[in-house]
Amino acid sequence: MQIGVNVPNFGPGTDPGVLRAWARTVEGLGFDLLMMSDHVAVTPDVADQYPAPFYEPFTTLSWLAGITDRVRLGTTVVVAPYRHPLLLARMAANLNELSGGRFILGVGVGWARQEFAALGVPFEQRGRLTDEALRTLREEWAHVDDYGTGRIPIWVGGNSDAALRRAVRFGDAWHMLRFTPTWMRAAVAKLPETGAPALAPRIALRLTDEPVHDADRLAGEGTAEQIAADIAELRALGAETVLLDPFNGDPRETLRPETAWRALATVAEIRKDHL
């Protein structure tokens, strides 16, 4: 199993130096993947959760590709309707080539109504637009020689039944986002017997001194032992990759990245000893 990290590319504590430190920490601790989220217009609904500065993921990941050597790079997730499908195909292909074939494209439908309005994209049509984008990506990338670095994996993000259907139809992996262990078990039971995509979930990373016993505990929350058990269960359920998300909702967390780095170091030790 591969383990990656969702790096905050937003918030009051984020700047180029911090992003560089994140990349070197993730790669230095031996993680396999570094991913970032996507917003284009930081409208009030976006800023409430993910305030500026918000670094555009393709630009930022292209820069980080030049200062990393091994770690894979990806998006969790690009909002497909925000960019023309042909532009999205070209940007992803170029980033894949510039990184030496290390790119994974995570795609979702989006949720921020004000941002959709600011970009002139109809919110109610976001599902259809995402399907069209994924279909175009597949068609454009069918000619691998045009891009030179091989096939780019597509992870379809989202927890809904529609996201699962989209992943089965277009994706290489279903990229579920922050959930309880109980939800995950039920979700795996929905997978079709044939033609199921790989599982590449994104879970929380919140390390605590005492066990968390709440019924709504997210996978990845709790003591080191609980986190290790969650990752082990995900592997047993068939997950090929697990992405750790150390951002837990307060933008001020970005002012103290060392807290997340310590949690990641703990997971790296767990992985070495038990996973």
Side-chain angles (χ1 to χ4, degrees):
M1 174 192 278
Q2 294 200 327
I3 301 180
V5 180
N6 181 27
V7 169
N9 52 326
F10 55 85
T14 302
D15 60 30
V18 170
L19 289 168
R20 184 187 300 111
W22 266 105
R24 290 175 174 166
T25 298
V26 169
E27 188 166 64
L29 288 172
F31 290 101
D32 305 290
L33 175 62
L34 183 160
M35 302 188 91
M36 290 182 171
S37 57
D38 177 42
H39 284 286
V40 175
V42 187
T43 48
D45 50 354
V46 174
D48 184 56
Q49 300 184 48
Y50 311 110
F54 200 112
Y55 288 82
E56 196 280 325
F58 285 100
T59 308
T60 308
L61 291 169
S62 294
W63 172 60
L64 293 179
I67 60 176
T68 56
D69 298 310
R70 176 194 54 79
V71 69
R72 302 195 74 182
L73 306 164
T75 53
T76 177
V77 290
V78 159
V79 183
Y82 287 172
R83 300 168 181 85
H84 191 284
L86 292 178
L87 175 62
L88 181 59
R90 177 60 64 182
M91 293 171 71
N94 285 172
L95 176 47
N96 193 50
E97 184 174 5
L98 290 167
S99 65
R102 289 188 279 153
F103 184 59
I104 296 171
L105 181 66
V107 172
V109 300
W111 57 268
R113 284 180 175 271
Q114 293 174 354
E115 187 176 22
F116 272 84
L119 295 169
V121 180
F123 182 82
E124 293 75 13
Q125 298 182 34
R126 65 194 188 283
R128 178 184 63 80
L129 293 170
T130 298
D131 288 347
E132 290 178 0
L134 289 167
R135 188 178 299 109
T136 299
L137 289 171
R138 287 300 191 204
E139 292 171 355
E140 284 297 297
W141 293 342
H143 307 288
V144 172
D145 289 344
D146 291 350
Y147 295 96
T149 53
R151 192 168 180 275
I152 300 170
I154 295 176
W155 292 6
V156 177
N159 295 6
S160 66
D161 289 344
L164 172 56
R165 291 193 296 269
R166 190 169 287 117
V168 170
R169 186 176 181 186
F170 297 110
D172 297 292
W174 185 21
H175 186 45
M176 307 85 80
L177 310 172
R178 298 178 70 98
F179 45 80
T180 67
T182 300
W183 182 91
M184 179 64 185
R185 296 176 201 120
V188 170
K190 296 179 182 179
L191 291 171
E193 293 184 4
T194 59
L199 298 178
R202 186 178 93 199
I203 68 173
L205 177 60
R206 187 174 73 86
L207 184 63
T208 64
D209 294 328
E210 298 295 328
V212 178
H213 296 300
D214 296 343
D216 57 353
R217 180 187 75 87
L218 295 175
E221 288 187 324
T223 62
E225 291 76 14
Q226 285 182 297
I227 294 170
D230 288 338
I231 295 174
E233 181 176 12
L234 290 169
R235 180 173 60 186
L237 289 171
E240 297 182 358
T241 304
V242 171
L243 187 71
L244 305 173
D245 186 356
F247 178 69
N248 290 292
D250 184 351
R252 291 172 296 181
E253 295 174 32
T254 61
L255 296 165
R256 304 178 297 275
E258 297 83 4
T259 301
W261 297 342
R262 286 192 294 269
L264 290 171
T266 298
V267 174
E269 287 297 316
I270 293 171
R271 184 185 194 187
K272 182 172 64 176
D273 295 336
H274 302 292
L275 297 173

